[in-house]
Amino acid sequence: SSAGSSFPVLPTTSGTTPTESFTTTSGTTSTKSATAPITTVTSSLVSTSTSRPSTVSSTVSSSGTSISGDSWWLCNCTKAICIEDNKVEVIPVICNPPPKPTCINGLAPVQVIDEDGCCWHWECDCFCTGWGDPHYQTFDGLYYTYQGNCTYVLVEEINKSVDNFGVYIDNYHCDVHDPVSCPRTLIVRHETQEVRIALVKPNSLKVKVTVNQQAVALPYKKFGLSVYESGINQVVEIPELKMNVTFNGLSFSIRMPYSLFGNNTQGQCGTCNNNTADDCMLPNGNIAENCESMADHWQVFDPSKPQCSPGIIPTKAPGTTTGQPCKESSICQLLLGSVFEKCHKIVDPEKFYTACVFDSCALPHLDVECSSLQVYAAICADQGVCLDWRSHTNGVCTYTCPAHKEYRACGPIKEITCKSSPEQQNQTETKQVEGCFCRNGTMLYDAAVDVCVETCGCVGLDDEPREFGEVFTVDCKDCICLEGGKGILCEAHKCAEQNKISCDGEGLYQVTEVNSEDLCCPIISCKCNTSLCTTKPPKCNLGFEVYSHIPSGQCCPVYRCVSKRVCVHQNAEFLPNSSVFVDKCHNCFCTHEVNITTQLNVISCEHIPCDTHCEPGYERQPVNGECCGKCVQTKCVVHTPEGSLLTLSPGEFKNDPYNNCTLYSCVSIHNQLISSTSEITCPAFNEESCKPGTVTFLPNGCCKTCTPLDTPVPCSVRERKDFIVYQGCYSETRIDLTECGGACGTYSLYSAEANSLEHSCYCCREAKTSVREVKLKCPNGHSRTHRYVYVESCSCQGTECEISKSRESRSTEENDSESALNRIKRAISLTSK
C-alpha cells in the first residue's frame, strides 16, 4: 500500500443490548476507535557483517526517502540506521534483563514483552480477591473486612478506555443471627454483555451463569468474552484485555495486566500501582481513613435492593465481636502449620489466618472459615505450590464430586479433552487448580459435554460415550458413531408390523403401550375400563358373597352369589368349627356339613347336662332363662330334736315320731312356707281315779284316759287361752276357750271345724254355753268374723251312742278330730312364733 495510508479500526458490534440492571460510578460509556497507519519502505541490503554493524546500501523509492540518522526495525530483532551515502547500519537489539521487583500483593512478578517484541520487563499483575464474610485483598495486597449487603463496584477504569467495563459484587447477610455478609453474585460487564455468576442457594458452592439475564451453558464464548469451568471455579475470561475473573460461591478473584490497567482502577479492589497508600480511594479521588469506610461509597443501584442507594452512606452495622474472647476453629491453625508450610515463604498466611479466625467466631455453624484456606491454597497454586489441604480438616471442608469424577487438589487449569487440539494436548501448564477431574484412564470428551470416556469416540444428546463404528438407538433413531464429519449419523428407527386389533367389547378401549423390547415401537392393545361396564354386582344374602369372573376376551365381569361355606344364625356369620350361641341350654358349633337346600353350613347342638338333685323339701321347676330350672321349696322341712327330718306340705300336720304330744305344721303365707311346732295340751288326768287296767291314750296318741272308779270326780269348767284357726284364717291373739272335764271319764271339746263341741258317749258335758265372736286374719290379707261356743258350766250327762256307728266311723272321726286339733295347734304355734 502507499505510504501514509490509514485504515480505521471499527468497533465490534453485536445483536444484543447491554443490560441496564445498574449504572457504573462514572455514569457514562466510551467508544473505542483507533487508526493504524501503515508505511511500506523498500530498501536493498548491500552487505552484512557479523563482526560489526552491517552497512547496507539503501535505495528509497520516489514515495519516500531516507536521510542520515533515520532508523527502522528489521526482522529478528535488528534495527537499521541510515548512515550516509545510502549506507545502512544494521544493529542487533541486545536485551539486558532488568532487576526483578517485589510485588507488594505477594505474587511473583511476571515477564512482559516490550512493544518492540524483542525485550521484556517485569510487571506486578493487578490481583484482587475476596472470600468469607467477606474479606478483601486489594490489587496491592491491602487486607480489610467489610460487612455491607448491597451491590458494589469491585473495579472500574478511572479513565475509560474499554466500553462498558467493570466487575461488581452482590453481597448478602449469610447468617440470621449476626449482620455478616458473604458474596452472592459476581457481575462482569464488557461492552454489550453482562455475565452474572450467582449462588443457586445461600451458603452453597453451586452456582448458575447468565449472560444478559439469559441462562447459558458452559463453556460460553461470544463477542470477545468466554465463560468456562476451571476446577471448582467459574471463570470469565476477556482475552483482549488479558484478564480473568473467577467465582466459586465462597471466593472470587480478579486478575488483570498492569500494562493495561496500571494506575487506572478504582473501586473496592483499590488502585493497581503496587502501592497501598491510595488503595482506599473514594469515588471523588480522596483517600478514606480506612478501606472499611471506603467500601460503603462504592454502592451501585440495584433494583433488587431498594434499601441500597448510591451516595447514601448506610448506617454502620453492629460489630460481630462480643465481650467474650472467641476460641478460633482448629481449622484455622492449619494455615500456620505444616500443611501449608511449603507456601509460607512465597505467600504470607497471616491475613488469611486473621480472616479465618474472624469467620469461625462470626459464623461458627456455616464452616465459612474453609474459604480462607481455599483462597490461600489457590494463591499458592497460582505461584506453583500445590497443597492437598482438605484431607486434613476432618471432613469439615470436604468437596464432593460427581460419581464419574474424582477430586484432586492439583489439577490442570484447563482439562485436556477429546476435542483439544494437538497443540493444547502437548502444552505444559505449570499452574494448577483444585477441582473434579476425570479418573485416570479416562478423558473428558469435551468442555461442553461433561462425560468421561475411555476412548474418544462420540457422545450424543444422551451423554453416553460411543466408540467409533458403534451402532445404537437413541431418541427412536438408529445411529452410528463415525470418525470425522458430524460424528453421529442417524436415521428414523424402523418398527416391525403389527396385526390390527379390534376393541369393540363393552368396557374395552384401544391404548398404545411401551414396548419393553423396543421402546421406539409402541404396542397397540385393548385395555379394559370397568367403569364403563353397566352390570352392577348383586346384593347377596347373609352367608353368601359376590363372585365375579371375566370371560376370556371380555372386559366386564359376570356376577353371581356363592356360599361362603359358613353358618348363619341371628344375622351373623360363623366360620366352621367356631362356637355358635343359640341359648344357655345348648352347646352349638358350626360344622363343615353343608345343607344342600340352603347351601349354608349346618349348626350342630348338644343339650347342656343338668344337675337334677334338690335338697329335701325342694323340687326342680322350670324357670324362664334357665336351662335346668332351679330348686324351689315346695314343703316345709322340720328337724326334730331327735335328729329326724320331716317334710310337710302346706296345710299338712304331723306328730313328732317320738313324741305324739308334739305337733308340726306347715303353712304358706305370701308364697312363703312357714313351719310351726305345737304342743298338745291334755285334760287333767289322775290315774289314781282310774280302774286298774283301763288307762289308754286318746286318739291323738298324747292324752290319756281311763275308766273311772266308782267315786265320782266333780265335772267342772276348765279355762285356757288358745288360738282359733278356721279355713286357713287364724286369730292374731289367744282367745279365752273353755272345756268340760271330770268324773264322766270322757271329754267334750270345741271343734272349730264343726263349730260345735265334740262329745264322747259318756262325758262331762256342757250345761250352759254362749256364743262369742272373734276376728280372724286370712293369708290373703283380708279378715273375717268367726263365732265360737264358750262353755260357762259343765255337768255329767248321759249320752246315747251308736256303738256300731261309732266303731265304723271311729277311724274317720279320730282322723277328723286329730286334723282339727292339728290345725288349731298349728295356728297356735304359728302365732306364738
Side-chain angles (χ1 to χ4, degrees), residues 124-146:
C124 293
D125 275 350
C126 306
F127 181 78
C128 175
T129 184
W131 69 95
D133 58 344
H135 310 282
Y136 293 91
Q137 180 174 281
T138 66
F139 286 131
D140 296 330
L142 182 63
Y143 168 80
Y144 68 96
T145 297
Y146 177 65

Side-chain angles (χ1 to χ4, degrees), residues 496-518:
E497 294 184 0
Q498 296 185 25
N499 296 327
K500 293 183 178 180
I501 60 173
S502 175
C503 304
D504 297 332
E506 184 183 18
L508 295 175
Y509 64 97
Q510 183 174 299
V511 295
T512 302
E513 296 180 299
V514 175
N515 186 351
S516 59
E517 297 180 357
D518 190 345

